[in-house]
Amino acid sequence: MLTSFARCCAVLLCLISAFTHAGETVTQLHQRLTVLDSHLDTPMQLARPDWDITQRHSFGTDLSQVDVPRMKEGGLDGGFWAIFTPQGPLTAEGRTLASEHGLAVITRIRDMVAAHPKDFALALRAEDVPAIVARQQRVVFISMENAEPLAADPQRLQTYYRLGLRMLGLVHAANNDFADSATALPQWHGLSPAGRALVLEANRQGILLDVSHASDQVFDQVLELSSAPIIASHSSSRAITAHPRNLDDQRLRRLAAKGGVVQVNSFPSDLINREPNPERDKALGPLYREFRLAASLSPAEVADLAARIREVENRYPQPQANLDDFIRHLLHILQVVGADHVGIGADWDGGGGVQGLSDVSQLPRITERLLAAGYTESEVAKIWGGNLLRVLSEAQRTH
Ligand SMILES: [Zn+2]
C-alpha cells in the first residue's frame, strides 16, 4: 500500500517535473517568477583575490554558491546581501573593529553594484524590484546580520540607512550589546535597553527587523515592540528539528498573525538531528577558520582547502541533510502559517545548502517540489518573493 502510494507520488512528481500546463516546463515557470533569497552571505566572497562574481564557479572546488551565471541558471533574481559580522569581544576595541568591518562590507557590496551595472542594481524600496527584474539585472537589497557594527549606538543606524541598509538582524551566534542569541546563555533576558531603542529606531527608519539567530525572548519582545511586521530571514522549524535556531509552531503563528514572514533556511545542522561528533568538529574547525580568512587566499589555495575539507568529511562520515529534509521543514512551516507567510532564505555562502540543493543553480527543484505538493503558481510566487516584498513594504510604509 505504502509502496504503491510512494510510486504514485513519484510518477506524479515526474509528470509535474516534465510539464506544468500549456507545455511549459517547471524550469520555464520558475524562470518567469521573481525569485528572491532573504539571506545571501555572498559579500564575504567579494573580498577574495581574483574572485569574479560575473564568472561561473563550482562549489566543489571554490566553496562558493552564488555568482551571476548560477543565479541566471537557477532563476535567482537577487535578494538581501548581508553585512555579516562575526561576534567579537564586547570591548571598545571589539566594537571599533566591528564598526570598521561593517562599513568595509557595505562599501564592498555597493562597489559590486557599481562595477557591474548591467548585472546588478541596488534596491532601496520593495517597489524598485519589478523594474530591476524587467531590466534583467539582479536585485541587491542590503541587510545586516549582527548589529555589532553599530557599536552599541542605535543612532548609527542612520548612517547605514543612508548607505542603503534595509533589513537588520540584531544578533548572531553570541550575545551582543543589543540582544541575546539563540545559541548562548541569556544575558539580557531578551533585548538590552539599547536593543529596545534599536528596534524603535529601525521602525522609525523603515528598516525591516530580522529575528533569525535571536533568542526566543528576543523574538517575543521584538514582535511585541515593533510597530511593523517582522521577518525571520533564515530560520527553520523547531517542531521538525529541535535546534534553538529554529522557530516553534506557536511563535511561527504569532509572527504570521502580525503580518510577518519566515524564510526557510537550508543550513544542514538546523535541518536534521545528528549525533555529536567532536573529532570531526575538531578536525574541521581549523579548516573553516582558514576559509573565513578567504580574503587572503588565492583560487588555488581555496581549491586546496576545499579538497582538505572533503578529505576530513570523508574520514569522519555523518548523516547528510538533503533536499527532502529541507522540503520537510518548508512544507511543515507552510502548513502551520500558510503560503502568505513563508519564503526562502537558504543561507547561501554562509553554510547553507544540502545534498541535491548545493548552490543557487538548483533552485527550480524547490519550485518543482512545491508544485508537486499542490501549491499553485501564485502561491509559489508569493513564497519566492511576494511575501518578502510585502513585509518589506509594510516596514517601509511606516517610514
Ligand atoms: Zn546566519
Side-chain angles (χ1 to χ4, degrees):
M1 177 68 190
L2 198 64
T3 318
S4 67
F5 176 71
R7 198 177 304 131
C8 204
C9 287
V11 170
L12 187 65
L13 191 65
C14 209
L15 284 173
I16 288 173
S17 67
F19 296 104
T20 52
H21 61 273
E24 187 181 46
T25 65
V26 167
T27 303
Q28 286 167 335
L29 182 153
H30 176 89
Q31 288 286 352
R32 275 199 288 109
L33 305 178
T34 296
V35 173
L36 302 172
D37 185 288
S38 52
H39 191 73
L40 301 168
D41 268 320
T42 311
M44 283 196 281
Q45 313 289 13
L46 300 174
R48 290 166 55 176
D50 298 326
W51 195 87
D52 180 351
I53 195 158
T54 65
Q55 299 300 309
R56 190 185 180 98
H57 306 82
S58 134
F59 180 63
T61 53
D62 183 69
L63 300 173
S64 75
Q65 297 170 304
V66 181
D67 50 42
V68 173
R70 284 182 289 176
M71 289 178 85
K72 286 183 178 169
E73 186 179 326
L76 179 61
D77 293 294
F80 278 88
W81 301 63
I83 306 164
F84 164 63
T85 306
Q87 184 60 50
L90 294 172
T91 60
E93 190 183 5
R95 289 181 196 106
T96 303
L97 288 173
S99 170
E100 298 292 325
H101 173 84
L103 291 169
V105 178
I106 198 167
T107 305
R108 205 184 292 153
I109 297 169
R110 293 183 61 107
D111 284 352
M112 173 189 80
V113 176
H116 307 289
K118 272 202 195 113
D119 292 310
F120 296 105
L122 187 67
L124 298 174
R125 301 192 69 82
E127 298 75 33
D128 295 344
V129 169
I132 295 173
V133 171
R135 289 195 300 266
Q136 300 195 359
Q137 293 166 301
R138 308 291 125 182
V139 176
V140 180
F141 282 113
I142 301 175
S143 59
M144 188 178 272
E145 179 176 38
N146 189 4
E148 193 63 9
L150 304 179
D153 179 2
Q155 292 307 311
R156 295 193 191 201
L157 199 54
Q158 292 177 24
T159 304
Y160 280 92
Y161 182 85
R162 283 201 298 276
L163 292 170
L165 186 78
R166 293 297 181 268
M167 175 159 75
L168 174 66
L170 297 169
V171 66
H172 188 243
N175 300 336
N176 64 14
D177 289 307
F178 298 110
D180 289 343
S181 167
T183 45
L185 293 172
Q187 175 184 347
W188 304 104
H189 298 279
L191 293 163
S192 70
R196 298 181 79 83
L198 182 59
V199 167
L200 299 179
E201 183 61 24
N203 281 163
R204 207 179 65 74
Q205 299 270 345
I207 291 178
L208 178 58
L209 283 156
D210 175 11
V211 289
S212 284
H213 284 289
S215 72
D216 287 348
Q217 281 176 304
V218 172
F219 177 103
D220 295 343
Q221 292 170 15
V222 174
L223 193 64
E224 167 89 35
L225 194 59
S226 174
S227 59
I230 63 171
I231 192 168
S233 71
H234 57 303
S235 293
S236 300
S237 159
R238 201 179 294 178
I240 304 285
T241 309
H243 190 287
R245 269 282 281 113
N246 293 338
L247 296 173
D248 60 49
D249 288 356
Q250 176 250 20
R251 285 192 170 80
L252 287 170
R253 286 193 194 95
R254 287 198 283 123
L255 177 85
K258 289 194 102 171
V261 176
V262 54
Q263 306 275 117
V264 181
N265 196 354
S266 73
F267 196 83
S269 60
D270 295 352
L271 298 180
I272 57 170
N273 286 310
R274 285 175 177 150
E275 294 294 317
N277 192 338
E279 284 185 353
R280 185 183 204 267
D281 295 346
K282 201 172 149 201
L284 280 175
L287 299 180
Y288 286 134
R289 265 197 297 285
E290 215 174 302
F291 185 59
R292 282 201 287 279
L293 303 175
S296 62
L297 299 179
S298 70
E301 285 167 329
V302 172
D304 173 65
L305 178 60
R308 283 184 286 138
I309 289 174
R310 245 192 331 275
E311 191 270 314
V312 172
E313 286 174 342
N314 292 337
R315 193 168 357 128
Y316 303 102
Q318 67 176 4
Q320 298 294 307
N322 59 31
L323 181 59
D324 290 341
D325 299 309
F326 171 76
I327 296 294
R328 194 174 307 124
H329 281 261
L330 175 59
L331 295 181
H332 175 79
I333 293 174
L334 278 163
Q335 203 171 30
V336 173
V337 293
D340 286 338
H341 299 282
V342 182
I344 311 285
D347 218 346
W348 297 118
D349 287 327
V354 291
Q355 283 185 345
L357 189 69
S358 61
D359 67 22
V360 296
S361 70
Q362 295 170 327
L363 296 184
R365 293 178 181 181
I366 299 176
T367 296
E368 179 182 280
R369 295 297 192 96
L370 287 169
L371 293 170
Y375 287 93
T376 64
E377 179 181 332
S378 72
E379 287 170 329
V380 174
K382 287 183 203 173
I383 293 164
W384 270 126
N387 295 331
L388 176 63
L389 294 179
R390 186 196 69 231
V391 75
L392 176 64
S393 182
E394 285 285 313
Q396 299 193 313
R397 202 158 58 91
T398 57
H399 183 45

